[in-house]
Amino acid sequence: MGRVFARASSTHLWKVGAPVNAPPMSGALWFNTSDTTNGMVVLSLGNSTTDNQRHWLIVDGAAAGDPLKFHTFFSPTTGEAITTTGYSANVWQHAAFVAAATNSRACYLNGGSKGTNATSLGPAVNRYTIGAHKGATVANAYTGIVAWATLWNIALTDQEVAALAT
């Protein structure tokens, strides 16, 4: 079962109290979007009092090659794991991220295309959002369908991510 989101700040789902708030953590979901021109946050772990601490799973049509990004920000530093291939419009695809530690993050598209980043960052997060980023404000709303968004308090292996994408 999927949920349709429009690129309006009011269509996202959010919950105060992030199910996971620090590594190790992993997340995965299925997505389908027609938008290949905007950077859109499909899943966010943010801080309700500031926009300067967050983890984002981004479907980034604004970047060359339309990659997925697992973006961690703890002002003023950013760490991004970026997939090696891009997503396609109007097709169901699997997105996943793994943060094994504060200095170990990975992003996956369809169980592969793994990109990694080792910047050491430990933002404090207390809000979980699907379809946008919701910290102190709402930003980067997603357009498309999201299904089966899931978070874990463990670091999934490459093989587990690949299995989820099948």
Side-chain angles (χ1 to χ4, degrees):
M1 178 177 188
R3 168 103 184 206
V4 177
F5 295 92
R7 195 155 168 79
S9 62
S10 62
T11 65
H12 60 278
L13 302 171
W14 64 277
K15 178 188 183 313
V16 173
V20 294
N21 57 16
M25 64 179 167
S26 302
L29 55 85
W30 289 90
F31 72 99
N32 185 331
T33 183
S34 61
D35 190 329
T36 57
T37 59
N38 292 293
M40 303 175 292
V41 176
V42 67
L43 183 146
S44 169
L45 294 165
N47 185 305
S48 61
T49 62
T50 179
D51 290 320
N52 294 327
Q53 297 186 52
R54 62 184 179 247
H55 300 284
W56 285 358
L57 182 58
I58 303 170
V59 177
D60 201 352
D66 302 331
L68 300 186
K69 297 178 179 179
F70 178 50
H71 161 104
T72 299
F73 183 65
F74 191 2
S75 184
T77 306
T78 299
E80 286 188 327
I82 303 170
T83 58
T84 58
T85 60
Y87 69 96
S88 300
N90 303 308
V91 176
W92 279 103
Q93 291 156 101
H94 189 262
F97 72 85
V98 175
T102 57
N103 64 346
S104 175
R105 67 191 53 81
C107 189
Y108 304 80
L109 176 62
N110 297 321
S113 299
K114 181 182 178 182
T116 61
N117 177 270
T119 304
S120 186
L121 296 165
V125 297
N126 63 0
R127 182 173 281 168
Y128 173 50
T129 309
I130 301 171
H133 166 67
K134 185 173 177 74
T137 60
V138 177
N140 302 84
Y142 172 79
T143 298
I145 309 168
V146 175
W148 303 105
T150 309
L151 292 173
W152 294 269
N153 63 351
I154 60 168
L156 296 174
T157 66
D158 291 348
Q159 295 80 11
E160 289 168 327
V161 171
L164 288 171
T166 57

